[in-house]
Amino acid sequence: MPHDINLITTIAAGLGLAMIMGFIASRLRMPPLVGYLVAGIIIGPSTPGYVADVALAGQLAEIGVMLLMFGVGLHFSMDDLLAVKRIAVPGAIVQIAVATAMGMGVAIWLWDWSLGAGLVFGLALSVASTVVLLRALEARGVLDSVNGQIAVGWLVVEDLIMVLVLVLLPPMAGLLGGKVDDAAQGAAAAGTSVWLTIGITLAKVAAFIGLMLVVGRKVFPMLLWQVARTGSRELFTLCVVAAAVGVAYGSAKLFDVSFALGAFFAGMMMRESEYSHRAADESLPLRDAFAVLFFVSVGMLFDPQVLLDEPLKVLAVAAIIIVGKTVAAMALVLAFRYPLNTALTVGASLAQIGEFSFILAGLGVALGLLPVEGQSLILAGALISIALNSVVFSAISPLQNWLRKHSELARKLEARTDPLAELPMSTDQAQLTGQVVLVGYGRVGRRIARALREQKVAYVVAEQNREVVERLRGRGVAAVCGDAADPAVLIQAHIHRAGTLVIATPDTLKVRKMVETARTLNPGVEILVRSHNEEEAELLSKENIGTVFLGEEQLALGMARHILARHGDSKG
């Protein structure tokens, strides 16, 4: 047997203990990821007994981040990203600025840290973990919803900003009171070197995105097609994993883009292939296994002693992450006139920190900017916020109901005058009798709308994404902005005079509320519902929700009709 088996030992210990602790956590009605974090603490260097290889665990966790972001890219198109740019870009920038200011204020004024230490500390608390967010959104089935798209787009912008911060921090370390790295020592003027670094970094990121958009959109689908033609399942799986890890590694080495961001763009480009769903399915087991190792590696970095030595500081850090960032994000989303549910979802999504925070904290310590105590506090904040993130998400619905009942401000925010919440006065009233009310204008909704338009069937779109509604109105399409689970939205879409209600949104959790509103106002309306899986479709059918369409079933029926038609023609 070989003597150097650190990799095997680390994987075996990490996955084995994570399975045990995750099972215990689940039995205690806690999220399994809490058990994964505890498993990491147990095999980490801060607790007695066996100590796993921290460096190896960190690299394994990076692979998990790559595969997870690649999987998200497979379900997240460039159009989805651009559709939320007007809220995601300014929202992420302002939220990072606010969270950084809160962290700096506490560190400098209360703890008497230096400016450089406060800046690194605040930045580390400002950026959320994409891994934690995706697990939370997937667990609740809202990853493909408008709220999910906004949250993911927001974090993609945060990742881009953090890439810039990680590149700029070393040359600016001397100005902030830290160590001057070798590259910065040769620069005569710090201002010139910093601006040059900014320019180079932006050029690299732009070159990477341009390369992926121009070349990746053609290369990846063609590559998948060629491999699929071999008929080898293992070769197809290998191609998917190699593309995810290879592009992530290449983007980091050649363009200084993070592994996660590189893998995300690789997935988005591969989504252009007709085999994208198969690619997502083939990579799912690996994504899940390595995502567990990510949480284990977080636990390994944590020193429980900091909870005893600095309990008040740990509470302050947790408050900034869970309360401060959440409130700031909610205020920004509400300022963009999105509904309260969207504000709460985005706020909960950002109420944690993760991988970029660890990288930034490690770099800050290495540059002499951040004290080791600061790194420990950041890790403590990450552990607490990740463990509580499921609780924060679970509190969205009851908190929303409580705010509507007890807060006059919340009611005013939801009832405020919004030009996109009402149909324009210029809307042809003749179209508002027997029309189709189309809830959701995503990939399915767009195709339905195109078919209705070609057949000159009147329809009204109800969509949560404000930018989509603005574009539709610019093309003369009747559209209203809002959550169709809110009766006011369907009322504005004139559901009482509609002939058909089509629920094409991927978020089926609110279907029953939409149907209840529609049938109350229009008992004779025909209802068509989109479903994702057989169990959900069967349940909706039993409840007499309406006509339920299951994606795989409709695909099979369409193919069968085509085959029968061809055979009928040949017989004739």
Side-chain angles (χ1 to χ4, degrees):
M1 179 180 289
H3 295 289
D4 190 7
I5 55 172
N6 280 352
L7 177 61
I8 298 174
T9 306
T10 301
I11 293 176
L15 292 180
L17 194 57
M19 186 273 293
I20 295 172
M21 300 309 298
F23 176 76
I24 294 174
S26 180
R27 296 289 292 179
L28 294 174
R29 300 185 181 278
M30 299 171 66
L33 69 85
V34 175
Y36 307 154
L37 293 168
V38 173
I41 296 174
I42 293 174
I43 62 174
S46 300
T47 53
Y50 168 74
V51 176
D53 192 317
V54 177
L56 276 179
Q59 292 187 46
L60 292 171
E62 283 284 10
I63 296 175
V65 173
M66 293 179 205
L67 293 174
L68 193 65
M69 290 300 293
F70 178 77
V72 174
L74 285 170
H75 295 95
F76 202 88
S77 68
M78 181 58 71
D79 292 336
D80 294 333
L81 193 59
L82 294 176
V84 297
K85 65 181 183 301
R86 286 178 57 183
I87 182 174
V89 174
I93 292 172
V94 174
Q95 181 262 313
I96 285 178
V98 171
T100 301
M102 287 189 290
M104 288 180 66
V106 170
I108 295 174
W109 293 331
L110 297 183
W111 303 340
D112 201 26
W113 288 7
S114 66
L115 175 63
L119 178 62
V120 174
F121 183 72
L123 285 169
L125 300 186
S126 70
V127 58
S129 168
T130 311
V131 178
V132 177
L133 167 68
L134 296 176
R135 297 286 287 221
L137 294 178
E138 286 180 336
R140 285 155 184 81
V142 296
L143 181 58
D144 292 330
S145 67
V146 173
N147 292 349
Q149 290 177 0
I150 293 174
V152 172
W154 194 301
L155 260 68
V156 168
V157 177
E158 282 193 352
D159 287 353
L160 285 169
I161 294 173
M162 284 302 120
V163 168
L164 188 63
V165 168
L166 291 173
V167 173
L168 292 178
L169 198 58
M172 294 185 66
L175 290 174
L176 297 172
K179 301 175 184 176
V180 182
D181 68 342
D182 295 336
Q185 280 184 350
T192 303
S193 64
V194 169
W195 286 112
L196 180 61
T197 304
I198 292 176
I200 293 173
T201 302
L202 292 177
K204 285 182 175 180
V205 172
F208 168 71
I209 295 176
L211 183 67
M212 296 302 292
L213 291 176
V214 176
V215 179
R217 270 185 167 173
K218 296 180 179 179
V219 173
F220 289 152
M222 183 178 66
L223 178 64
L224 271 187
W225 166 253
Q226 293 296 333
V227 173
R229 289 178 61 188
T230 65
S232 172
R233 180 177 180 179
E234 63 269 20
L235 192 59
F236 186 87
T237 304
L238 179 61
C239 174
V240 172
V241 176
V245 178
V247 172
Y249 178 79
S251 64
K253 286 297 181 182
L254 299 178
F255 300 99
D256 290 329
V257 176
S258 68
F259 291 129
L261 207 59
F264 175 75
F265 274 95
M268 280 206 303
M269 298 307 102
M270 197 169 281
R271 185 181 179 277
E272 302 296 325
S273 169
E274 60 185 295
Y275 294 101
S276 60
H277 290 290
R278 180 182 169 188
D281 292 339
E282 296 289 347
S283 60
L284 183 60
L286 275 176
R287 295 206 313 262
D288 287 342
F290 280 100
V292 169
L293 289 175
F294 165 78
F295 292 108
V296 173
S297 70
V298 172
M300 290 174 64
L301 294 172
F302 178 64
D303 183 1
Q305 188 63 35
V306 72
L307 298 176
L308 301 176
D309 295 342
E310 301 290 352
L312 294 180
K313 289 184 178 181
V314 171
L315 285 175
V317 171
I320 292 173
I321 298 170
I322 299 175
V323 180
K325 287 173 60 180
T326 300
V327 172
M330 286 176 55
L332 287 167
V333 175
L334 290 172
F336 278 88
R337 292 182 176 272
Y338 276 86
L340 182 61
N341 179 263
T342 300
L344 290 170
T345 301
V346 174
S349 301
L350 300 173
Q352 39 80 18
I353 59 175
E355 55 272 16
F356 265 114
S357 303
F358 310 145
I359 297 171
L360 191 58
L363 181 61
V365 172
L367 293 173
L369 291 171
L370 185 70
V372 177
E373 177 193 5
Q375 187 177 31
S376 298
L377 290 172
I378 290 169
L379 290 171
L383 188 76
I384 294 171
S385 62
I386 290 174
L388 293 179
N389 196 239
S390 295
V391 178
V392 174
F393 264 99
S394 300
I396 289 178
S397 182
L399 178 59
Q400 183 176 351
N401 295 333
W402 186 90
L403 287 173
R404 284 173 173 170
K405 185 176 180 180
H406 295 91
S407 173
E408 184 178 351
L409 176 61
R411 290 193 294 272
K412 285 182 178 179
L413 286 172
E414 291 201 312
R416 63 191 167 182
T417 304
D418 181 358
L420 294 183
E422 299 179 358
L423 286 175
M425 297 297 293
S426 58
T427 302
D428 185 0
Q429 294 299 309
Q431 295 183 356
L432 301 180
T433 301
Q435 83 281 9
V436 175
V437 175
L438 178 58
V439 177
Y441 200 76
R443 292 187 290 272
V444 176
R446 284 196 297 268
R447 288 170 170 79
I448 296 174
R450 183 168 62 241
L452 295 174
R453 190 164 54 250
E454 290 173 353
Q455 297 298 319
K456 294 183 170 50
V457 176
Y459 64 93
V460 178
V461 175
E463 167 63 47
Q464 292 189 67
N465 192 318
R466 299 179 59 82
E467 297 175 44
V468 171
V469 173
E470 288 178 354
R471 287 201 304 271
L472 288 172
R473 290 191 176 187
R475 300 203 304 263
V477 177
V480 60
C481 181
D483 184 354
D486 182 357
V489 175
L490 289 180
I491 290 172
Q492 275 298 318
H494 290 249
I495 189 66
H496 65 289
R497 294 161 60 183
T500 307
L501 170 65
V502 180
I503 304 176
T505 174
D507 183 6
T508 56
L509 297 176
K510 301 174 182 176
V511 166
R512 292 167 182 81
K513 182 63 177 176
M514 298 179 199
V515 172
E516 180 185 344
T517 301
R519 285 183 172 158
T520 300
L521 298 174
N522 185 351
V525 68
E526 181 184 10
I527 298 175
L528 309 180
V529 180
R530 166 192 176 185
S531 180
H532 291 283
N533 57 69
E534 293 185 14
E535 293 80 6
E536 181 185 62
E538 185 178 350
L539 184 62
L540 291 174
S541 298
K542 286 181 178 179
E543 295 180 7
N544 196 27
I545 290 294
T547 304
V548 182
F549 291 86
L550 180 63
E552 290 80 359
E553 181 180 345
Q554 296 307 311
L555 177 62
L557 288 174
M559 295 176 71
R561 280 194 295 267
H562 178 80
I563 294 169
L564 293 174
R566 290 292 297 271
H567 278 264
D569 291 342
S570 63
K571 288 179 180 180

